[in-house]
Structures are given as structure tokens and as C-alpha cells.
DNA sequence: TATAATTCCTACTAAATAAGTCTGAATATA
DNA sequence: TATATTCAGACTTATTTAGTAGGAATTATA
């Protein structure tokens, strides 16, 4: 449980890269971060669809952040790569559980989900990227 | 990320059953909880090896809790079925990370792990099992 | 002592998910 | 037009999870 997929780790590395680089192509990020470039391509596509990145096609194209990293909670990043976190079926879909509201294990899982969500919402991409090294 | 394996959900259901039943065979738990009995067999074996259960072989044998459920934090249960939680390689094994202590993503993952661990340690099996229904 | 009910052990199969590749179209720039 | 790029989908491979099969070891009891 709770093995973080490399997909997500890659996504974070790429985003951190973009915080510092302003703009970069898939190939350049892949090389700098040692990520298979075709795989990264798909991951950045997801981040774009989630509204975290903006892309420019054609020559001199590439990706850049769609908003200030201080405004991007990590919960958004995780959600973008993996979709909604669903610990157990019954947590999101109470109808599945015969016991319904009275189900104690369900409360347990809800609590865990909320602990995770709260943490992910409390950290921003900017904090993970650290102090800007570039000028201005 | 964070899909809880059915293995662990089964383990919890079985443990809750044993909180109320005092003692039961694999077959009886499997039937009551609708869990494939051969699979459950393996799961209870793990819980036993982790020191959560005590077994009795032979006729009239079965499993019972090794200690009071108020003394069993859910962290122990999860650990028993899945082994140590390892979010990302570098979290447990700092040597893997080139950046070492200065690695901000690593701090992020450490924080997440600690949020999860704290929660799991804060809930006991007794709380999940709910009020005892049997007398005495 | 024979039998039945049980845990225990090891190997195997099947299903699901994650990781990664391939091919090529669409788009922009020089 | 040639080149560098994103975009889209199908495809392959690897890893993990879920579940099954068969039988050995142990124990109570008839």
C-alpha cells in the first residue's frame, strides 16, 4: 500500500524542473531528469489536460507552468497524474457498503483519506521546488 | 496511488470478526465474511507471524487474538499484511538520493509518510471493531 | 488406532495495474 | 520544404495483486 507510482514521481520532477526553467521541451526535461522521454510525453500531456501546464507546439515549442507554483497544491499534481484517490470502494460509494453509515472500518478509511488529502493540500509545488535560483 | 489492497481489507474484517468471536477457524471466518478461504488462510498466517494472532492446530483448532484489541494499533495490522510502507525508494534509503538531505521532494514524501503513520498509529483495532456485543 | 478437522507450506495460475515503446499525425518556425 | 516539436492511440512488457491447488503436519475424538 502507498507505493507512489514512478509516474507521479516523474511528474513532480518535471514540474520542479519547469519551476526553475520557465519553459522546456519534453526532450530537454527527459534528459535532465533521466526520464524516458516518450513516457514523460504522456505524463506532461496529463498535467496539461489538468490545467497545470501550457504547451506550445512546433519548433521552439515546449511546456511551461500554467500558474504560479505557490498556487499549485500537491493534491492537484497527484490528482492530475492518478485521478481521484480511492482508498477502498466503499469510501466514495457508500451504497456499496451494507452497513452504510454505521460501518466502522469505513470511518477508519475515511479518516486515512482525509489525513492524506489534508497533507497533500498543505504543500505547494513552490515549496518543493525550493528557492528560485534564477535572477529577477 | 493509495488503493488499499483487498488483502488488507480482508485482514481487517477477519480481525474484527475475531474481536467478537474470541476464537474461530479459517473456514468459519471465510464463510461469515465472504472471503475466499484459501486466500484467507495465507493472510491469517501472516498475521500470526506478525504476532497478532495465536493459532491452535488440529481438530477444534483455529485462531484467536494474541492480545487485547485496544493494544493493537492499525499500523501493526497494515504492517503485518504489507510489510513496511515504502512510499518511494529514497525515503527509507537516503543513500539512493543524490541530493541527500537537501532533497526537497524527499522531505515532501517523508511528510506524507509521517502523516499516514501517525494516523494509523492513532487508531486501534478495538475502535474499528466497535462495542463488544458478547457478555462478560 | 483410524478418522476428521484443522493449521501450515510451497508452488502455481490468473487478473489487474504500472511502465514503457512504437507509429505517425498535427503544428509551427526558419 | 525540412525540422523540431506536441499530440493521440494502440501496443508490449514487467510487476504486483488476487486467488487456487495439493498435500504434509498436527490434534481431538470416536
Amino acid at each position: 500500500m502507498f507505493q507512489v507510482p514512478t509516474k507521479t514521481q516523474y511528474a513532480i520532477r518535471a514540474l520542479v524542473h519547469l519551476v526553475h526553467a520557465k519553459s522546456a521541451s519534453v526532450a530537454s526535461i527527459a534528459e535532465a531528469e533521466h526520464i524516458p522521454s516518450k513516457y514523460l510525453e504522456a505524463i506532461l500531456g496529463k498535467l496539461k489536460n489538468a490545467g497545470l501546464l501550457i504547451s506550445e507546439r512546433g519548433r521552439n515549442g515546449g511546456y511551461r507552468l500554467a500558474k504560479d507554483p505557490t498556487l499549485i497544491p500537491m493534491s492537484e499534481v497527484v490528482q492530475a497524474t492518478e485521478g481521484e484517490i480511492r482508498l477502498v470502494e466503499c469510501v466514495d460509494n457508500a451504497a456499496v457498503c451494507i452497513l452504510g453509515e454505521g460501518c466502522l472500518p469505513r470511518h477508519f478509511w475515511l479518516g486515512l483519506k482525509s489525513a492524506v488529502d489534508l497533507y497533500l493540500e498543505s504543500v505547494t509545488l513552490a515549496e518543493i521546488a525550493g528557492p528560485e535560483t534564477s535572477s529577477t
Side-chain angles (χ1 to χ4, degrees), chain A:
Chain A
M1 170 159 78
F2 300 156
Q3 174 82 326
V4 177
T6 65
K7 199 197 315 177
T8 300
Q9 300 185 46
Y10 288 163
I12 292 175
R13 298 230 303 269
L15 286 169
V16 166
H17 186 97
L18 283 171
V19 168
H20 297 122
K22 307 268 186 204
S23 170
S25 69
V26 170
S28 68
I29 300 174
E31 190 186 6
E33 301 291 334
H34 302 101
I35 300 171
S37 99
K38 272 306 200 177
Y39 196 29
L40 182 58
E41 212 174 283
I43 293 167
L44 295 189
K46 284 194 171 191
L47 294 175
K48 187 206 163 188
N49 290 337
L52 294 178
L53 295 181
I54 289 172
S55 67
E56 217 87 43
R57 292 171 77 152
R59 201 161 184 167
N60 299 340
Y63 286 93
R64 62 196 161 84
L65 292 182
K67 41 188 170 178
D68 193 282
T70 59
L71 300 179
I72 302 180
M74 292 309 290
S75 50
E76 263 191 55
V77 175
V78 169
Q79 159 119 21
T81 59
E82 307 183 26
E84 185 55 48
I85 290 178
R86 164 166 301 200
L87 285 172
V88 294
E89 188 63 19
C90 72
V91 165
D92 303 278
N93 188 355
V96 165
C97 183
I98 315 170
L99 297 179
E101 276 309 312
C103 177
L104 292 173
R106 180 162 180 267
H107 282 294
F108 169 65
W109 296 124
L110 276 173
L112 178 55
K113 180 171 154 65
S114 131
V116 168
D117 283 348
L118 282 178
Y119 178 76
L120 292 181
E121 282 161 16
S122 78
V123 182
T124 70
L125 176 59
E127 281 156 15
I128 289 188
E132 289 271 1
T133 50
S134 56
S135 52
T136 306

